[in-house]
Amino acid sequence: MQTILLPICLLFAWATIALLFWSGWNTLRQGITTLKRLHRIPCDRCVFFTGDYRLKCTVRPIEALTEDAIDCRDFEPAPSYSSRRANRSCTACPKSCKSKAKKELVSS
């Protein structure tokens, strides 16, 4: 009896380990597929995206940051952060702060 039971238990243990690895591999593949699909959502790179949790998008607020927004017809690429920062001007004075800084550097 013991000679028959030992191989069956060994087979059962290896089958359990194999099933565990297969399940983990399957879960990892599904997670990667989901992440790739979610990274296709363009809302954070759109000019209409506000970044406010109350109104995420001014054009399509219900679809914003969901999978429905992947092929959004109203998507307009926002200017990159560096170009927005370079074109920023002072609102307190009529001339831009950048031109003032240049004048100060030249005069020094």
Side-chain angles (χ1 to χ4, degrees), residues 65-93:
L65 297 176
T66 64
E67 291 181 33
D68 296 333
I70 288 176
D71 293 321
C72 183
R73 296 176 305 194
D74 299 313
F75 174 72
E76 278 295 320
S80 66
Y81 176 74
S82 60
S83 65
R84 280 187 286 181
R85 196 170 156 200
N87 293 332
R88 188 182 308 159
S89 60
C90 182
T91 57
C93 56

PDB file of all heavy atoms in Angstrom, residues 65-93:
ATOM      1  N   LEU A  65     -10.147  59.505 -18.524  1.00  0.00           N
ATOM      2  CA  LEU A  65      -9.350  58.547 -17.759  1.00  0.00           C
ATOM      3  C   LEU A  65      -9.990  57.160 -17.667  1.00  0.00           C
ATOM      4  O   LEU A  65      -9.749  56.424 -16.715  1.00  0.00           O
ATOM      5  CB  LEU A  65      -9.043  59.080 -16.359  1.00  0.00           C
ATOM      6  CG  LEU A  65      -8.200  60.348 -16.316  1.00  0.00           C
ATOM      7  CD1 LEU A  65      -8.046  60.824 -14.891  1.00  0.00           C
ATOM      8  CD2 LEU A  65      -6.852  60.142 -16.959  1.00  0.00           C
ATOM      9  N   THR A  66     -10.816  56.792 -18.655  1.00  0.00           N
ATOM     10  CA  THR A  66     -11.365  55.448 -18.739  1.00  0.00           C
ATOM     11  C   THR A  66     -10.917  54.834 -20.060  1.00  0.00           C
ATOM     12  O   THR A  66     -10.353  55.513 -20.909  1.00  0.00           O
ATOM     13  CB  THR A  66     -12.902  55.458 -18.685  1.00  0.00           C
ATOM     14  OG1 THR A  66     -13.412  56.140 -19.834  1.00  0.00           O
ATOM     15  CG2 THR A  66     -13.408  56.120 -17.417  1.00  0.00           C
ATOM     16  N   GLU A  67     -11.204  53.554 -20.235  1.00  0.00           N
ATOM     17  CA  GLU A  67     -10.829  52.889 -21.481  1.00  0.00           C
ATOM     18  C   GLU A  67     -11.619  53.431 -22.672  1.00  0.00           C
ATOM     19  O   GLU A  67     -11.197  53.269 -23.809  1.00  0.00           O
ATOM     20  CB  GLU A  67     -11.024  51.380 -21.343  1.00  0.00           C
ATOM     21  CG  GLU A  67     -10.026  50.757 -20.397  1.00  0.00           C
ATOM     22  CD  GLU A  67     -10.201  49.262 -20.279  1.00  0.00           C
ATOM     23  OE1 GLU A  67     -10.588  48.631 -21.272  1.00  0.00           O
ATOM     24  OE2 GLU A  67      -9.943  48.733 -19.196  1.00  0.00           O
ATOM     25  N   ASP A  68     -12.753  54.073 -22.434  1.00  0.00           N
ATOM     26  CA  ASP A  68     -13.526  54.684 -23.522  1.00  0.00           C
ATOM     27  C   ASP A  68     -12.776  55.842 -24.159  1.00  0.00           C
ATOM     28  O   ASP A  68     -13.072  56.236 -25.285  1.00  0.00           O
ATOM     29  CB  ASP A  68     -14.878  55.192 -23.012  1.00  0.00           C
ATOM     30  CG  ASP A  68     -15.759  54.052 -22.526  1.00  0.00           C
ATOM     31  OD1 ASP A  68     -15.578  52.923 -23.021  1.00  0.00           O
ATOM     32  OD2 ASP A  68     -16.619  54.297 -21.672  1.00  0.00           O
ATOM     33  N   ALA A  69     -11.812  56.400 -23.480  1.00  0.00           N
ATOM     34  CA  ALA A  69     -11.063  57.554 -23.989  1.00  0.00           C
ATOM     35  C   ALA A  69      -9.879  57.161 -24.862  1.00  0.00           C
ATOM     36  O   ALA A  69      -9.171  58.047 -25.352  1.00  0.00           O
ATOM     37  CB  ALA A  69     -10.582  58.402 -22.814  1.00  0.00           C
ATOM     38  N   ILE A  70      -9.660  55.887 -25.093  1.00  0.00           N
ATOM     39  CA  ILE A  70      -8.488  55.459 -25.860  1.00  0.00           C
ATOM     40  C   ILE A  70      -8.506  56.028 -27.272  1.00  0.00           C
ATOM     41  O   ILE A  70      -7.516  56.528 -27.758  1.00  0.00           O
ATOM     42  CB  ILE A  70      -8.373  53.921 -25.861  1.00  0.00           C
ATOM     43  CG1 ILE A  70      -7.933  53.458 -24.478  1.00  0.00           C
ATOM     44  CG2 ILE A  70      -7.385  53.450 -26.909  1.00  0.00           C
ATOM     45  CD1 ILE A  70      -7.860  51.971 -24.301  1.00  0.00           C
ATOM     46  N   ASP A  71      -9.630  55.991 -27.956  1.00  0.00           N
ATOM     47  CA  ASP A  71      -9.723  56.543 -29.309  1.00  0.00           C
ATOM     48  C   ASP A  71     -10.577  57.807 -29.309  1.00  0.00           C
ATOM     49  O   ASP A  71     -11.488  57.960 -30.126  1.00  0.00           O
ATOM     50  CB  ASP A  71     -10.303  55.498 -30.265  1.00  0.00           C
ATOM     51  CG  ASP A  71      -9.368  54.327 -30.449  1.00  0.00           C
ATOM     52  OD1 ASP A  71      -8.149  54.565 -30.519  1.00  0.00           O
ATOM     53  OD2 ASP A  71      -9.845  53.175 -30.520  1.00  0.00           O
ATOM     54  N   CYS A  72     -10.283  58.723 -28.424  1.00  0.00           N
ATOM     55  CA  CYS A  72     -11.062  59.954 -28.284  1.00  0.00           C
ATOM     56  C   CYS A  72     -10.919  60.821 -29.531  1.00  0.00           C
ATOM     57  O   CYS A  72      -9.812  61.125 -29.973  1.00  0.00           O
ATOM     58  CB  CYS A  72     -10.594  60.727 -27.052  1.00  0.00           C
ATOM     59  SG  CYS A  72     -11.547  62.216 -26.741  1.00  0.00           S
ATOM     60  N   ARG A  73     -12.044  61.245 -30.087  1.00  0.00           N
ATOM     61  CA  ARG A  73     -12.023  62.066 -31.302  1.00  0.00           C
ATOM     62  C   ARG A  73     -11.554  63.484 -31.006  1.00  0.00           C
ATOM     63  O   ARG A  73     -11.066  64.175 -31.884  1.00  0.00           O
ATOM     64  CB  ARG A  73     -13.431  62.142 -31.901  1.00  0.00           C
ATOM     65  CG  ARG A  73     -13.971  60.817 -32.367  1.00  0.00           C
ATOM     66  CD  ARG A  73     -15.372  60.984 -32.831  1.00  0.00           C
ATOM     67  NE  ARG A  73     -16.142  61.595 -31.746  1.00  0.00           N
ATOM     68  CZ  ARG A  73     -17.450  61.646 -31.691  1.00  0.00           C
ATOM     69  NH1 ARG A  73     -18.150  61.149 -32.665  1.00  0.00           N
ATOM     70  NH2 ARG A  73     -18.074  62.187 -30.679  1.00  0.00           N
ATOM     71  N   ASP A  74     -11.721  63.935 -29.781  1.00  0.00           N
ATOM     72  CA  ASP A  74     -11.390  65.316 -29.424  1.00  0.00           C
ATOM     73  C   ASP A  74      -9.990  65.468 -28.850  1.00  0.00           C
ATOM     74  O   ASP A  74      -9.656  66.529 -28.326  1.00  0.00           O
ATOM     75  CB  ASP A  74     -12.407  65.842 -28.410  1.00  0.00           C
ATOM     76  CG  ASP A  74     -13.812  65.835 -28.973  1.00  0.00           C
ATOM     77  OD1 ASP A  74     -13.966  66.294 -30.114  1.00  0.00           O
ATOM     78  OD2 ASP A  74     -14.724  65.358 -28.290  1.00  0.00           O
ATOM     79  N   PHE A  75      -9.168  64.451 -28.945  1.00  0.00           N
ATOM     80  CA  PHE A  75      -7.823  64.511 -28.373  1.00  0.00           C
ATOM     81  C   PHE A  75      -6.978  65.545 -29.122  1.00  0.00           C
ATOM     82  O   PHE A  75      -6.859  65.523 -30.337  1.00  0.00           O
ATOM     83  CB  PHE A  75      -7.142  63.147 -28.445  1.00  0.00           C
ATOM     84  CG  PHE A  75      -5.708  63.178 -27.996  1.00  0.00           C
ATOM     85  CD1 PHE A  75      -5.382  63.333 -26.667  1.00  0.00           C
ATOM     86  CD2 PHE A  75      -4.682  63.077 -28.916  1.00  0.00           C
ATOM     87  CE1 PHE A  75      -4.070  63.366 -26.261  1.00  0.00           C
ATOM     88  CE2 PHE A  75      -3.360  63.107 -28.526  1.00  0.00           C
ATOM     89  CZ  PHE A  75      -3.057  63.248 -27.188  1.00  0.00           C
ATOM     90  N   GLU A  76      -6.424  66.473 -28.380  1.00  0.00           N
ATOM     91  CA  GLU A  76      -5.479  67.471 -28.887  1.00  0.00           C
ATOM     92  C   GLU A  76      -4.227  67.373 -28.034  1.00  0.00           C
ATOM     93  O   GLU A  76      -4.294  67.551 -26.828  1.00  0.00           O
ATOM     94  CB  GLU A  76      -6.040  68.890 -28.747  1.00  0.00           C
ATOM     95  CG  GLU A  76      -6.988  69.328 -29.820  1.00  0.00           C
ATOM     96  CD  GLU A  76      -6.328  69.427 -31.179  1.00  0.00           C
ATOM     97  OE1 GLU A  76      -5.183  69.891 -31.265  1.00  0.00           O
ATOM     98  OE2 GLU A  76      -6.966  69.013 -32.142  1.00  0.00           O
ATOM     99  N   PRO A  77      -3.089  67.095 -28.641  1.00  0.00           N
ATOM    100  CA  PRO A  77      -1.875  66.976 -27.823  1.00  0.00           C
ATOM    101  C   PRO A  77      -1.546  68.290 -27.112  1.00  0.00           C
ATOM    102  O   PRO A  77      -1.564  69.353 -27.720  1.00  0.00           O
ATOM    103  CB  PRO A  77      -0.792  66.632 -28.828  1.00  0.00           C
ATOM    104  CG  PRO A  77      -1.479  66.290 -30.089  1.00  0.00           C
ATOM    105  CD  PRO A  77      -2.840  66.857 -30.037  1.00  0.00           C
ATOM    106  N   ALA A  78      -1.283  68.184 -25.844  1.00  0.00           N
ATOM    107  CA  ALA A  78      -0.896  69.357 -25.062  1.00  0.00           C
ATOM    108  C   ALA A  78       0.563  69.669 -25.332  1.00  0.00           C
ATOM    109  O   ALA A  78       1.351  68.774 -25.629  1.00  0.00           O
ATOM    110  CB  ALA A  78      -1.113  69.091 -23.573  1.00  0.00           C
ATOM    111  N   PRO A  79       0.943  70.928 -25.228  1.00  0.00           N
ATOM    112  CA  PRO A  79       2.373  71.238 -25.382  1.00  0.00           C
ATOM    113  C   PRO A  79       3.164  70.557 -24.268  1.00  0.00           C
ATOM    114  O   PRO A  79       2.658  70.348 -23.180  1.00  0.00           O
ATOM    115  CB  PRO A  79       2.430  72.759 -25.252  1.00  0.00           C
ATOM    116  CG  PRO A  79       1.116  73.192 -24.745  1.00  0.00           C
ATOM    117  CD  PRO A  79       0.135  72.099 -24.969  1.00  0.00           C
ATOM    118  N   SER A  80       4.385  70.224 -24.564  1.00  0.00           N
ATOM    119  CA  SER A  80       5.193  69.532 -23.563  1.00  0.00           C
ATOM    120  C   SER A  80       5.468  70.457 -22.382  1.00  0.00           C
ATOM    121  O   SER A  80       5.394  71.670 -22.485  1.00  0.00           O
ATOM    122  CB  SER A  80       6.511  69.061 -24.175  1.00  0.00           C
ATOM    123  OG  SER A  80       7.286  70.168 -24.533  1.00  0.00           O
ATOM    124  N   TYR A  81       5.838  69.861 -21.284  1.00  0.00           N
ATOM    125  CA  TYR A  81       6.061  70.635 -20.060  1.00  0.00           C
ATOM    126  C   TYR A  81       7.182  71.652 -20.249  1.00  0.00           C
ATOM    127  O   TYR A  81       7.075  72.783 -19.821  1.00  0.00           O
ATOM    128  CB  TYR A  81       6.386  69.691 -18.902  1.00  0.00           C
ATOM    129  CG  TYR A  81       6.715  70.421 -17.627  1.00  0.00           C
ATOM    130  CD1 TYR A  81       5.714  71.033 -16.895  1.00  0.00           C
ATOM    131  CD2 TYR A  81       8.018  70.531 -17.175  1.00  0.00           C
ATOM    132  CE1 TYR A  81       6.004  71.718 -15.730  1.00  0.00           C
ATOM    133  CE2 TYR A  81       8.320  71.210 -16.018  1.00  0.00           C
ATOM    134  CZ  TYR A  81       7.310  71.793 -15.295  1.00  0.00           C
ATOM    135  OH  TYR A  81       7.597  72.478 -14.149  1.00  0.00           O
ATOM    136  N   SER A  82       8.236  71.264 -20.933  1.00  0.00           N
ATOM    137  CA  SER A  82       9.367  72.175 -21.083  1.00  0.00           C
ATOM    138  C   SER A  82       9.011  73.376 -21.942  1.00  0.00           C
ATOM    139  O   SER A  82       9.432  74.488 -21.661  1.00  0.00           O
ATOM    140  CB  SER A  82      10.566  71.433 -21.678  1.00  0.00           C
ATOM    141  OG  SER A  82      10.225  70.905 -22.933  1.00  0.00           O
ATOM    142  N   SER A  83       8.189  73.179 -22.997  1.00  0.00           N
ATOM    143  CA  SER A  83       7.820  74.324 -23.822  1.00  0.00           C
ATOM    144  C   SER A  83       6.830  75.223 -23.095  1.00  0.00           C
ATOM    145  O   SER A  83       6.841  76.433 -23.260  1.00  0.00           O
ATOM    146  CB  SER A  83       7.244  73.868 -25.158  1.00  0.00           C
ATOM    147  OG  SER A  83       6.029  73.186 -24.961  1.00  0.00           O
ATOM    148  N   ARG A  84       5.947  74.646 -22.273  1.00  0.00           N
ATOM    149  CA  ARG A  84       5.034  75.472 -21.477  1.00  0.00           C
ATOM    150  C   ARG A  84       5.820  76.314 -20.489  1.00  0.00           C
ATOM    151  O   ARG A  84       5.518  77.472 -20.258  1.00  0.00           O
ATOM    152  CB  ARG A  84       4.044  74.597 -20.715  1.00  0.00           C
ATOM    153  CG  ARG A  84       2.898  74.112 -21.537  1.00  0.00           C
ATOM    154  CD  ARG A  84       1.921  73.409 -20.672  1.00  0.00           C
ATOM    155  NE  ARG A  84       2.485  72.112 -20.325  1.00  0.00           N
ATOM    156  CZ  ARG A  84       1.893  71.203 -19.579  1.00  0.00           C
ATOM    157  NH1 ARG A  84       0.723  71.438 -19.084  1.00  0.00           N
ATOM    158  NH2 ARG A  84       2.470  70.065 -19.326  1.00  0.00           N
ATOM    159  N   ARG A  85       6.850  75.736 -19.907  1.00  0.00           N
ATOM    160  CA  ARG A  85       7.638  76.431 -18.910  1.00  0.00           C
ATOM    161  C   ARG A  85       8.473  77.541 -19.548  1.00  0.00           C
ATOM    162  O   ARG A  85       8.638  78.617 -18.978  1.00  0.00           O
ATOM    163  CB  ARG A  85       8.549  75.408 -18.229  1.00  0.00           C
ATOM    164  CG  ARG A  85       9.121  75.880 -16.960  1.00  0.00           C
ATOM    165  CD  ARG A  85       9.776  74.729 -16.261  1.00  0.00           C
ATOM    166  NE  ARG A  85      10.768  75.272 -15.374  1.00  0.00           N
ATOM    167  CZ  ARG A  85      11.764  74.608 -14.883  1.00  0.00           C
ATOM    168  NH1 ARG A  85      11.916  73.357 -15.182  1.00  0.00           N
ATOM    169  NH2 ARG A  85      12.615  75.180 -14.092  1.00  0.00           N
ATOM    170  N   ALA A  86       8.964  77.308 -20.756  1.00  0.00           N
ATOM    171  CA  ALA A  86       9.791  78.306 -21.429  1.00  0.00           C
ATOM    172  C   ALA A  86       8.960  79.490 -21.905  1.00  0.00           C
ATOM    173  O   ALA A  86       9.438  80.617 -21.948  1.00  0.00           O
ATOM    174  CB  ALA A  86      10.502  77.668 -22.614  1.00  0.00           C
ATOM    175  N   ASN A  87       7.695  79.257 -22.243  1.00  0.00           N
ATOM    176  CA  ASN A  87       6.844  80.326 -22.764  1.00  0.00           C
ATOM    177  C   ASN A  87       6.061  81.046 -21.673  1.00  0.00           C
ATOM    178  O   ASN A  87       5.280  81.930 -21.959  1.00  0.00           O
ATOM    179  CB  ASN A  87       5.868  79.763 -23.794  1.00  0.00           C
ATOM    180  CG  ASN A  87       6.578  79.277 -25.022  1.00  0.00           C
ATOM    181  OD1 ASN A  87       7.645  79.776 -25.362  1.00  0.00           O
ATOM    182  ND2 ASN A  87       6.006  78.288 -25.687  1.00  0.00           N
ATOM    183  N   ARG A  88       6.267  80.679 -20.433  1.00  0.00           N
ATOM    184  CA  ARG A  88       5.531  81.304 -19.343  1.00  0.00           C
ATOM    185  C   ARG A  88       5.994  82.751 -19.176  1.00  0.00           C
ATOM    186  O   ARG A  88       7.181  83.045 -19.201  1.00  0.00           O
ATOM    187  CB  ARG A  88       5.778  80.530 -18.051  1.00  0.00           C
ATOM    188  CG  ARG A  88       4.891  81.000 -16.925  1.00  0.00           C
ATOM    189  CD  ARG A  88       5.180  80.276 -15.652  1.00  0.00           C
ATOM    190  NE  ARG A  88       5.159  78.845 -15.857  1.00  0.00           N
ATOM    191  CZ  ARG A  88       5.747  77.987 -15.050  1.00  0.00           C
ATOM    192  NH1 ARG A  88       6.378  78.403 -13.990  1.00  0.00           N
ATOM    193  NH2 ARG A  88       5.695  76.703 -15.291  1.00  0.00           N
ATOM    194  N   SER A  89       5.059  83.648 -19.005  1.00  0.00           N
ATOM    195  CA  SER A  89       5.426  85.051 -18.810  1.00  0.00           C
ATOM    196  C   SER A  89       4.777  85.575 -17.537  1.00  0.00           C
ATOM    197  O   SER A  89       3.814  85.024 -17.043  1.00  0.00           O
ATOM    198  CB  SER A  89       4.994  85.885 -20.011  1.00  0.00           C
ATOM    199  OG  SER A  89       3.600  85.808 -20.171  1.00  0.00           O
ATOM    200  N   CYS A  90       5.296  86.658 -17.054  1.00  0.00           N
ATOM    201  CA  CYS A  90       4.815  87.266 -15.825  1.00  0.00           C
ATOM    202  C   CYS A  90       3.484  87.949 -16.096  1.00  0.00           C
ATOM    203  O   CYS A  90       3.335  88.693 -17.057  1.00  0.00           O
ATOM    204  CB  CYS A  90       5.848  88.275 -15.328  1.00  0.00           C
ATOM    205  SG  CYS A  90       5.379  89.064 -13.784  1.00  0.00           S
ATOM    206  N   THR A  91       2.498  87.728 -15.248  1.00  0.00           N
ATOM    207  CA  THR A  91       1.195  88.366 -15.429  1.00  0.00           C
ATOM    208  C   THR A  91       1.099  89.666 -14.643  1.00  0.00           C
ATOM    209  O   THR A  91       0.151  90.416 -14.816  1.00  0.00           O
ATOM    210  CB  THR A  91       0.072  87.422 -14.969  1.00  0.00           C
ATOM    211  OG1 THR A  91       0.300  87.071 -13.605  1.00  0.00           O
ATOM    212  CG2 THR A  91       0.022  86.188 -15.846  1.00  0.00           C
ATOM    213  N   ALA A  92       2.066  89.931 -13.798  1.00  0.00           N
ATOM    214  CA  ALA A  92       2.012  91.131 -12.973  1.00  0.00           C
ATOM    215  C   ALA A  92       2.563  92.359 -13.698  1.00  0.00           C
ATOM    216  O   ALA A  92       2.297  93.484 -13.317  1.00  0.00           O
ATOM    217  CB  ALA A  92       2.784  90.918 -11.679  1.00  0.00           C
ATOM    218  N   CYS A  93       3.314  92.165 -14.750  1.00  0.00           N
ATOM    219  CA  CYS A  93       3.889  93.288 -15.467  1.00  0.00           C
ATOM    220  C   CYS A  93       3.636  93.133 -16.968  1.00  0.00           C
ATOM    221  O   CYS A  93       3.384  92.031 -17.439  1.00  0.00           O
ATOM    222  CB  CYS A  93       5.383  93.396 -15.181  1.00  0.00           C
ATOM    223  SG  CYS A  93       6.296  91.896 -15.561  1.00  0.00           S
TER     224      CYS A  93
END
